[in-house]
Amino acid sequence: MNRKTIVKFGILIAVVVFGIVFAGCTQTSTSKQVVKLSQTGSSTVLPLAIAWAEYFEGAEISVSGGGSSHGLNALLVGESDLGDASRLLKGSDYEKVGCDPKLVTSEGTASSACKGITPTKWVVAYDVLAVVVNNENTWATELTYDQLYKIFTDDNPAVYWDEVPGLKEKGAPHAKISIYAPDEASGTYDYFFESIIKDWTKSTQVAQTRLDSGDGIYHPSADDNVILDAVKSNNYAIGYLGFAYIMENPGQVKVAKIAKTSEDSFVEASLANVAKYPMARPLHIYTNGIPNKSTDKGKAINEYLNYILSNEGQDLVPEVGYVQVSLVDPTILPSQLEKLK
């Protein structure tokens, strides 16, 4: 064997050896256990959660909806790592799983754990709640809280469109109102009725919802796409849902402008109007305390929240149809990121 052949043979051996070593390293790295996380809850937060989970590379995240109540309950009973909610934690959430409701504060936090779980709130985005009517509706394109109260509560409610104060003059027909909107497990349901019913969920609450009345006019659903399709298909329907679903389905329904009183200006639901639109709200993810980085799962949750609150994670927010936290309050993100340290 000449010198040239020996060199070629040596290189071949080196390549083979490197390949074996590299394959061994690759096998070792890929065999590392992937952290699996469960995230469930609010149908409003769901499109955001899907987007974040898709782009986050630090864990395999299973995302589902079911409503804010479902998400908070799943967290409290240990069935989920992250509970999505478009409303604050309530005393009734604690009570439902056998804990003292008085431990829950008015800020949606808890002064003490519930069966080892300390629900901790993270504000991840803001949402605009849209009141929608059928595209053929020309009489309910501007609505006040008083008019919504007449349609959506059981306090001497309007059965026909021309019974809603001020709408007959705008051409409202003598046609039965049909409501398609979120169910009681939804944080959107809570937020909507908190806006129009005085003392909502308190002992002094002045009215019940149209759903509570049982008159069959309010058709509840946990799926915003079902609500959208129902309003789209019924000339005399009305409903409400997160603005992201309007952005995903442009032109499918008509979005009503809203004013708190007849003295106020009617404001269009849009991401640009979040500061002055009367039905804008924060969206939350709840975790069990501040995620502890000493465990693989805790580290993954911590990194996931860091990603959501980072510039990269927040850049996805308007793309999905929501408002970045910093546009509403620039102090929230830095304070939350500091907690995660």
Side-chain angles (χ1 to χ4, degrees):
M1 185 181 294
N2 61 33
R3 182 181 178 86
K4 192 173 182 180
T5 304
I6 291 171
V7 171
K8 283 184 177 180
F9 184 73
I11 291 173
L12 177 61
I13 294 296
V15 169
V16 171
V17 170
F18 176 77
I20 293 170
V21 172
F22 181 77
C25 291
T26 304
Q27 186 175 0
T28 302
S29 62
T30 56
S31 63
K32 183 179 178 181
Q33 189 70 31
V34 177
V35 177
K36 295 184 178 181
L37 302 178
S38 170
Q39 180 175 3
T40 189
S42 168
S43 60
T44 303
V45 181
L46 182 60
L48 268 175
I50 291 171
W52 284 325
E54 180 181 351
Y55 284 96
F56 179 67
E57 297 179 348
E60 183 181 310
I61 305 172
S62 171
V63 179
S64 61
S68 297
S69 295
H70 167 70
L72 291 166
N73 182 260
L75 177 72
L76 290 172
V77 298
E79 293 178 354
S80 181
D81 303 299
L82 304 109
D84 299 335
S86 57
R87 63 164 174 83
L88 294 175
L89 176 77
K90 298 188 296 186
S92 58
D93 296 311
Y94 257 39
E95 191 172 30
K96 186 175 180 180
V97 295
C99 295
D100 186 354
K102 294 178 182 178
L103 296 176
V104 177
T105 70
S106 59
E107 289 79 30
T109 58
S111 60
S112 186
C114 173
K115 297 182 177 178
I117 304 292
T118 304
T120 302
K121 176 183 68 178
W122 308 91
V123 178
V124 295
Y126 277 78
D127 177 40
V128 172
L129 190 152
V131 176
V132 295
V133 294
N134 185 271
N135 279 335
E136 299 301 315
N137 187 316
T138 58
W139 58 89
T141 56
E142 295 182 338
L143 294 167
T144 66
Y145 276 15
D146 284 344
Q147 289 170 322
L148 293 173
Y149 182 88
K150 188 72 172 178
I151 295 169
F152 285 94
T153 77
D154 68 350
D155 185 3
N156 191 26
V159 176
Y160 300 92
W161 275 108
D162 59 359
E163 293 177 347
V164 180
L167 294 192
K168 187 174 183 179
E169 295 82 350
K170 294 184 177 182
H174 189 67
K176 278 193 173 183
I177 297 169
S178 293
I179 296 172
Y180 297 92
D183 59 20
E184 293 171 294
S186 169
T188 305
Y189 175 95
D190 265 307
Y191 181 76
F192 179 79
F193 285 108
E194 181 182 7
S195 300
I196 66 171
I197 295 180
K198 185 180 178 182
D199 295 342
W200 175 248
T201 71
K202 298 178 182 177
S203 59
T204 51
Q205 183 176 323
V206 299
Q208 299 298 317
T209 73
R210 198 66 177 266
L211 180 58
D212 293 325
S213 73
D215 62 6
I217 286 179
Y218 192 120
H219 306 279
S221 174
D223 189 336
D224 285 353
N225 291 302
V226 171
I227 295 167
L228 197 72
D229 287 341
V231 175
K232 173 185 169 183
S233 305
N234 187 328
N235 288 3
Y236 306 112
I238 185 171
Y240 58 89
L241 67 171
F243 191 72
Y245 288 89
I246 306 301
M247 290 188 64
E248 289 177 5
N249 301 275
Q252 299 297 303
V253 292
K254 191 176 289 185
V255 181
K257 294 181 180 180
I258 303 296
K260 284 189 175 182
T261 73
S262 57
E263 305 299 319
D264 297 323
S265 299
F266 288 96
V267 182
E268 181 181 358
S270 72
L271 303 186
N273 288 342
V274 65
K276 56 184 177 179
Y277 184 72
M279 289 186 172
R281 57 180 173 159
L283 301 178
H284 313 94
I285 290 176
Y286 277 83
T287 60
N288 178 19
I290 297 172
N292 190 331
K293 291 187 280 187
S294 64
T295 66
D296 288 343
K297 178 168 280 193
K299 183 180 179 182
I301 297 172
N302 191 294
E303 290 177 351
Y304 181 48
L305 288 173
N306 265 289
Y307 166 73
I308 288 170
L309 302 174
S310 71
N311 290 336
E312 186 181 355
Q314 287 292 297
D315 282 346
L316 286 174
V317 173
E319 291 182 21
V320 180
Y322 297 89
V323 181
Q324 292 171 322
V325 175
S326 60
L327 295 180
V328 178
D329 186 342
T331 68
I332 293 176
L333 291 178
S335 65
Q336 293 187 137
L337 287 167
E338 184 64 27
K339 286 182 182 178
L340 288 169
K341 291 181 181 179

